[in-house]
């Protein structure tokens, strides 16, 4: 007879048991789990990973400015060739000024249409084909940052944008650096931080540690000074009562009594006021004309002071000094030395005879 065995049903562990259950120890080192080995690359996506292809057709289109039309005409065959390798169609519409990319039945990579979209976007934004075609690679990405609306003042915008542009039109390629530059933070501070991080990443011991103690902390020294208006308006104290109503012309005439005068009397008063103003103007003009005939005040004549005896110069002594200086040349002999020399010469002549 064949023996039969019956397995007892196993009981599922309860919640309390799951809480108290300890995880199994892992033999692998933590550094191996956190770090990527050097030289490792993610394998490329091939047709074997998706042999059936895509279910739906996807397409993207973008517009380009008129000045890019001539360049796109020249490089469009190269664009089509690069996209055909990934089974993506590309069309250029010069009438509408647009570029379109779409997948085909042979397309197997679902993400290639996103890369093709980025390619036509870069071409529309004045990026050369040699640089833009690199976006089709797996280890290359791009980021388009719209900085036109970040700064209102046009002069400030141009100055801050100039900080980002490097030699031969190359620009900085970090989004945080670009946005901070448009907020008036110079890119050199962020570049220093990136350089320090790159050096720290080379050290295997510091990869799993915090880098905050090594990174520089820059403080804003420039205080935004608000421009004060030239004309300061002083606010008046609030009063619940309305301001007094200004007097009208009739009220002023009633107060001065002109309201009750006749038209001829009013006319006479106006003429008298005009004549009085004319007389004042004439008197001012005459005074200005008379100023030209008024002689200027003469300065008092100052008598020359007699030279004091203490400051008198001995002219004869100076003349003698000048004569001696002329006779005495640089390196010349004195009168006594000349006499002695002549005597010595005469004695030599006598001896020779």
């Amino acid at each position: 007879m064949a023996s039969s065995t019956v397995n007892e049903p196993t009981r599922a562990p309860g919640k309390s048991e799951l809480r108290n259950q300890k995880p199994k120890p892992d033999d692998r080192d933590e550094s191996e789990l956190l770090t990527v080995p050097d030289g490792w690359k993610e394998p490329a996506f091939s047709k074997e990973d998706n042999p059936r292809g895509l279910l739906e057709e996807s397409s993207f289109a973008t517009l380009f400015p008129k000045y890019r039309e001539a360049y796109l005409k020249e490089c469009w065959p190269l664009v089509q060739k690069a996209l055909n390798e990934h089974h993506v169609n590309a069309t250029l519409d010069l009438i509408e000024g647009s570029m379109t990319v779409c997948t085909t039945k042979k397309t197997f990579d679902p993400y290639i249409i996103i890369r093709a979209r980025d390619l036509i976007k870069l071409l529309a934004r004045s990026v050369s084909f040699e640089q833009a075609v690199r976006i089709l690679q797996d280890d290359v990405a791009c980021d388009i940052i719209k900085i036109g609306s970040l700064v209102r003042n046009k002069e400030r915008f141009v100055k801050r944008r100039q900080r980002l542009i490097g030699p031969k039109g190359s620009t900085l390629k970090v989004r945080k650096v670009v946005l901070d530059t448009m907020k008036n933070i110079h890119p050199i501070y962020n570049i220093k931080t990136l350089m320090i991080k790159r050096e720290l990443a080379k050290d295997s011991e510091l990869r799993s540690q915090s880098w905050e103690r090594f990174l520089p902390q820059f403080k804003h020294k420039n205080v935004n000074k608000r421009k004060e208006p030239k004309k300061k308006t002083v606010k008046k104290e609030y009063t619940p009562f309305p301001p007094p109503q200004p007097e009208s012309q009739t009220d002023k005439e009633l107060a001065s009594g002109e309201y009750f005068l006749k038209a001829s009397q009013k006319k006479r008063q106006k003429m008298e006021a005009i004549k009085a103003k004319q007389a004042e103007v004439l008197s001012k003009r005459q005074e200005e004309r008379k100023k030209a005939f008024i002689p200027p005040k003469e300065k008092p004549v100052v008598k020359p002071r007699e030279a004091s005896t203490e400051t008198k110069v001995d002219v004869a002594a100076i003349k003698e000094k000048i004569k001696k200086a002329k006779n005495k040349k640089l390196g010349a002999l004195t009168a006594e030395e000349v006499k002695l020399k002549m005597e010595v010469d005469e004695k030599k002549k006598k001896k020779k005879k």
Side-chain angles (χ1 to χ4, degrees), residues 62-66 69 72 92-99 124:
T62 186
L63 301 174
F64 60 87
K66 188 72 176 176
E69 184 177 330
L72 291 173
L92 176 66
D93 192 344
L94 298 175
I95 297 170
E96 293 183 358
S98 65
M99 294 180 284

Side-chain angles (χ1 to χ4, degrees), residues 141-156:
C142 72
D143 189 6
I144 297 169
I145 306 166
K146 296 180 181 179
I147 60 175
S149 60
L150 295 177
V151 182
R152 292 181 181 178
N153 194 340
K154 190 175 181 181
E155 293 180 1
R156 289 180 186 171

Side-chain angles (χ1 to χ4, degrees), residues 57-106:
E57 182 183 314
S58 302
S59 64
F60 289 99
T62 186
L63 301 174
F64 60 87
K66 188 72 176 176
Y67 64 88
R68 292 289 290 172
E69 184 177 330
Y71 180 77
L72 291 173
K73 270 185 186 179
E74 294 178 2
C75 69
W76 196 250
L78 299 173
V79 175
Q80 288 180 327
K81 184 181 178 182
L83 292 175
N84 285 336
E85 292 177 0
H86 300 277
H87 307 289
V88 177
N89 288 336
T91 55
L92 176 66
D93 192 344
L94 298 175
I95 297 170
E96 293 183 358
S98 65
M99 294 180 284
T100 309
V101 290
C102 62
T103 57
T104 61
K105 292 181 180 180
K106 294 182 180 180

Side-chain angles (χ1 to χ4, degrees), residues 184-205:
N184 202 19
I185 299 171
H186 203 278
I188 190 65
Y189 301 119
N190 286 318
I191 290 169
K192 280 186 178 179
T193 306
L194 292 172
M195 290 170 69
I196 293 167
K197 285 181 178 179
R198 185 174 63 181
E199 294 298 325
L200 291 171
K202 294 177 182 178
D203 193 347
S204 58
E205 295 181 358

Side-chain angles (χ1 to χ4, degrees), residues 91-278:
T91 55
L92 176 66
D93 192 344
L94 298 175
I95 297 170
E96 293 183 358
S98 65
M99 294 180 284
T100 309
V101 290
C102 62
T103 57
T104 61
K105 292 181 180 180
K106 294 182 180 180
T107 308
F108 58 87
D109 189 355
Y111 195 73
I112 194 63
I113 189 64
I114 304 298
R115 297 188 179 280
R117 178 201 64 184
D118 293 341
L119 173 63
I120 59 175
K121 276 187 178 181
L122 293 172
L123 290 172
R125 289 177 174 267
S126 301
V127 179
S128 63
F129 170 75
E130 291 78 9
Q131 294 292 329
V133 77
R134 294 173 58 198
I135 197 63
L136 299 177
Q137 301 173 11
D138 290 337
D139 57 345
V140 179
C142 72
D143 189 6
I144 297 169
I145 306 166
K146 296 180 181 179
I147 60 175
S149 60
L150 295 177
V151 182
R152 292 181 181 178
N153 194 340
K154 190 175 181 181
E155 293 180 1
R156 289 180 186 171
F157 172 75
V158 171
K159 286 180 181 177
R160 294 177 187 177
R161 185 182 63 181
Q162 192 64 28
R163 296 175 186 171
L164 299 171
I165 299 172
K168 297 181 181 179
S170 61
T171 54
L172 295 171
K173 300 172 184 177
V174 181
R175 187 180 187 88
K176 184 179 182 300
V177 177
V178 175
L179 295 176
D180 286 351
T181 303
M182 302 313 292
K183 293 176 184 176
N184 202 19
I185 299 171
H186 203 278
I188 190 65
Y189 301 119
N190 286 318
I191 290 169
K192 280 186 178 179
T193 306
L194 292 172
M195 290 170 69
I196 293 167
K197 285 181 178 179
R198 185 174 63 181
E199 294 298 325
L200 291 171
K202 294 177 182 178
D203 193 347
S204 58
E205 295 181 358
L206 296 173
R207 283 181 184 176
S208 59
Q209 297 180 12
S210 178
W211 293 348
E212 290 182 1
R213 54 194 174 126
F214 301 108
L215 300 178
Q217 295 179 357
F218 302 104
K219 295 180 180 179
H220 295 282
K221 292 183 180 179
N222 296 332
V223 181
N224 293 327
K225 294 182 180 179
R226 187 180 177 185
K227 292 183 179 179
E228 296 182 357
K230 293 180 179 179
K231 294 181 180 179
K232 293 182 179 180
T233 55
V234 181
K235 291 185 178 180
K236 297 179 181 179
E237 295 182 0
Y238 173 75
T239 54
F241 305 103
Q245 190 175 1
E247 292 183 353
S248 63
Q249 188 67 23
T250 54
D251 294 336
K252 291 177 181 178
E253 289 179 357
L254 285 168
S256 61
E258 293 180 6
Y259 184 80
F260 303 102
L261 296 176
K262 295 179 181 179
S264 59
Q265 291 176 340
K266 290 180 180 179
K267 192 174 182 180
R268 193 187 305 156
Q269 282 186 352
K270 285 182 180 180
M271 291 297 294
E272 287 176 358
I274 290 167
K275 286 179 181 179
K277 285 183 180 180
Q278 288 177 351

